[in-house]
């Protein structure tokens, strides 16, 4: 390898930091530069391989400067990227610095899809800075509306105490992005219970704050203000003080199903429109809803219901943050707005790679893998992109990592361990599948998805101890027709059955 090779990575989130750490390990003599608009980086710690494909880890926030402390060949630049010139292989930062590269990896993640970018009562959640803003705004909030049904919305609904919550979702069941309606119903039973009253022994994955330096004002004055910090890691809300103004109230959540936002109104607009506010039904025994004459903001949903509140939290997903890299270049974008990458994480521009939420996988996937913009895939893609960059520098072909063979995601909802495997929600299977279910109220929910008597996906909620066996069954594609009736029988030790 040439010692003069210079790798540049843009983005201090999980994908970007994993990428530079892997580059430093694989090519210790190379020059490596990390450019981040945020003063904080997201570092993976306490990594545990749960199964061959499933993993858990903590995400520790550290100062940007710490990225170069363990490797002398890593330089950090605290600035946003203003532009890219792929032809000249240079980046221009918002401080005016020009950074040349031999190989570049874009790991800028995504930015929230806000239902309103101008209303001061609407806030999004994406990074640490936005969480701190949320904490401050909640201190005086008596009622909030949460719009969205993904992981952040589901975790926030569980963690948020001290105020009434209207949860507006577009689906027929909660947590639909991750689990089916049956698992959603299982979790729903724990929606208004105290946080310690859920599944108890769920996976503990904490976002650890190790620095107070998180203000965007630490950027140079002439820098762009459109950047977002690295995406929140697993269980981002755990151990945080996320509480509204009512110190006596724990959980009081009302779900509005199959709705979208029709309008957001000020107090004056609400009065002028002559609308009638919906009465909130208390979900907690002994709690009276504290309706008042007028709220600072109102939201009308597509079911014609209008709710007054102090704050609207937009948690409707993200769009890939590609803005600085497009003008004057030929980076191809997928329909979802992500930068297209091939099976080596290469973009359509030579020597430019992408990883994490900013990219869209366009290779022919394994039958049991799919892309979801998750912290686990951000880590995997960042690591794999680094391997490919070093391999190409050395004239080698890098085999695709095993993590792309089987989709596996481990998380926690409402204190229950949740493991998703393969085509867990029957994605892309049409009508050609069969579902087996096992449900124990308050303890576990197990769904197995089969095609032609072969396991292709699973949802495991609770302490099922089935993840390793199910992973092997998906990978081996064993014909289960002789054993199918016993697959979910709690009296049968499945692990020994297929040993």
């Amino acid at each position: 390898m040439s010692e003069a090779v210079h790798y540049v990575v843009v983005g201090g989130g999980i994908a970007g930091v994993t990428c530079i750490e892997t580059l430093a390990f694989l090519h210790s003599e190379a020059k490596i530069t990390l450019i981040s608009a945020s003063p904080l980086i997201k570092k993976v710690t306490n990594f545990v391989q749960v199964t061959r494909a499933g993993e858990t880890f903590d995400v520790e926030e550290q100062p940007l400067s710490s990225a170069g402390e363990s490797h002398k060949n890593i330089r950090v630049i605290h600035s946003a990227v203003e532009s890219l010139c792929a032809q000249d292989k240079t980046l221009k930062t918002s401080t005016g610095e020009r950074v040349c590269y031999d190989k570049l990896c874009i790991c800028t993640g995504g930015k929230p899809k806000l239902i309103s970018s101008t209303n001061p009562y609407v806030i999004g959640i994406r990074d640490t800075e936005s969480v701190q803003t949320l904490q401050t705004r909640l201190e005086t909030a008596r009622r909030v509306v949460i719009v969205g049904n993904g992981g952040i919305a589901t975790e926030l609904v569980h963690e948020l105490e001290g105020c009434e919550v209207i949860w507006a979702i577009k689906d027929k069941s909660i947590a639909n992005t991750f689990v089916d309606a049956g698992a959603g119903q299982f979790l729903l039973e724990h929606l208004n219970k105290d946080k310690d009253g859920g599944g108890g022994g769920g996976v503990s994955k904490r976002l650890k704050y190790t620095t107070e330096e998180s203000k965007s004002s630490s950027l140079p004055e002439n820098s762009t203000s459109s950047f977002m910090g690295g995406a929140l890691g697993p269980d981002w809300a755990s151990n945080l003080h996320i509480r509204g103004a009512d110190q006596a109230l724990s959980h009081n959540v009302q779900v509005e199903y199959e709705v979208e936002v029709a309008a957001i109104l000020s107090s004056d607009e609400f009065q002028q429109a002559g609308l009638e506010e919906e009465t909130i039904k208390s979900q907690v025994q002994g709690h009276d809803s504290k309706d008042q004459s007028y709220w600072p903001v109102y939201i009308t949903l597509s079911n014609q219901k209008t709710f007054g509140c102090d704050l609207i939290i937009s948690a409707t997903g993200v769009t890939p943050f590609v803005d600085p890299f497009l003008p004057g270049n030929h980076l191809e974008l997928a329909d979802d707005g992500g930068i297209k990458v091939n099976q080596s994480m290469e973009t359509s521009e030579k020597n430019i790679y992408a990883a994490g939420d900013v990219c869209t996988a366009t290779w022919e996937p394994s039958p049991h893998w799919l892309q979801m913009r998750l912290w686990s895939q951000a880590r995997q893609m960042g690591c794999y992109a680094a391997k490919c960059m070093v391999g190409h520098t050395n004239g080698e072909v890098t085999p695709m990592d095993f993590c792309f063979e089987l989709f596996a995601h481990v998380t926690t909802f409402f204190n229950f361990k949740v493991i998703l495997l393969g085509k867990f929600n029957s994605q892309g299977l049409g009508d050609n599948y069969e579902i087996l279910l096992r449900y124990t109220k308050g303890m576990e929910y197990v769904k197995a998805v089969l095609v032609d008597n072969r396991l292709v996906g699973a949802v495991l909620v609770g302490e099922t101890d089935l993840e390793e066996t199910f992973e092997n069954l998906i990978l081996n594609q064993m014909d289960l027709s002789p054993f199918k009736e016993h697959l979910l029988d709690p009296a049968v030790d499945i692990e020994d059955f297929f040993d």
Side-chain angles (χ1 to χ4, degrees), residues 114-176:
L114 293 178
I115 55 178
S116 173
S117 59
T118 57
N119 193 303
Y121 295 100
V122 176
I123 66 171
I125 303 176
R126 172 64 181 172
D127 55 6
T128 306
E129 290 83 355
S130 57
V131 171
Q132 291 173 338
T133 299
L134 172 65
Q135 288 176 288
T136 301
R137 298 285 294 272
L138 284 173
E139 291 176 355
T140 57
R142 298 142 298 164
R143 181 188 297 165
V144 301
V145 175
I146 298 176
V147 181
N149 199 21
I152 285 182
T154 303
E155 292 184 58
L156 180 59
V157 165
H158 179 245
E159 295 294 333
L160 180 53
E161 298 179 302
C163 63
E164 297 172 340
V165 176
I166 309 299
W167 189 8
I169 64 176
K170 64 179 181 180
D171 309 296
K172 296 180 179 179
S173 60
I174 67 171
N176 185 259

Side-chain angles (χ1 to χ4, degrees), residues 70 72 145 222 239 256 318 338 394 398 461:
S70 56
K72 294 182 179 180
V145 175
N222 61 338
N239 289 356
E256 295 293 324
V318 300
N394 200 32
T398 303
V461 182

